[in-house]
Amino acid sequence: MGRVDVVGEVSAVFERYERALVEGDVATLIALFWDDPRCRRFGVADRQQGAEEIAAWRRAHPSVPEGRALRDTVVLALGDSAAVVTTLFTHSDGATEGRQSQTWFRFPQGWRIVAAHVSEVPLG
């Protein structure tokens, strides 16, 4: 939705982030978050304020459970420098539906996540 060029760029960097998440590529996961104390991440049972806390949390939790599968991923471009990505995910156990949103901003060094939220709800 929105600018096709921005949607393509953010889709590609989002896919890079997802690959890193599944593979436990901590360096990439940390690099794709905005290196700023105002950056924020809300996880399923955790929260981090600032790049340092996000990096420390990611080092302690380098990957996601096996069998992660995405669906209904939407990239919404908001001009040429901002986008929001929302997606649903499941794991191989099928016990929960995950919900993830990320706000991306284009900085001189590239696209970075400035805010993220992850939650899960039980299925069944």
Side-chain angles (χ1 to χ4, degrees):
M1 303 181 140
R3 294 191 42 179
V4 175
D5 57 335
V6 171
V7 170
E9 291 173 18
V10 174
S11 293
V13 74
F14 174 75
E15 289 171 14
R16 182 176 167 218
Y17 179 86
E18 278 297 311
R19 257 189 326 277
L21 192 59
V22 170
E23 295 171 0
D25 180 353
V26 174
T28 297
L29 294 170
I30 291 170
L32 289 176
F33 271 89
W34 183 31
D35 186 8
D36 190 276
R38 295 170 288 175
C39 188
R40 191 168 251 207
R41 181 189 173 277
F42 294 130
V44 173
D46 56 278
R47 62 183 170 163
Q48 296 83 45
Q49 175 68 46
E52 288 183 23
E53 285 185 16
I54 293 169
W57 190 88
R58 187 48 69 198
R59 284 185 198 100
H61 305 87
S63 63
V64 292
E66 204 172 299
R68 179 177 168 96
L70 302 183
R71 68 179 166 75
D72 297 332
T73 302
V74 175
V75 177
L76 173 62
L78 304 168
D80 64 356
S81 297
V84 174
V85 179
T86 56
T87 195
L88 300 174
F89 64 88
T90 56
H91 298 291
S92 57
D93 67 7
T96 60
E97 175 185 77
R99 300 158 183 194
Q100 177 177 314
S101 61
Q102 298 171 334
T103 303
W104 291 81
F105 189 82
R106 183 197 316 260
F107 292 95
Q109 66 272 32
W111 288 97
R112 298 294 184 264
I113 301 165
V114 297
H117 184 267
V118 181
S119 61
E120 292 181 349
V121 294
L123 292 176

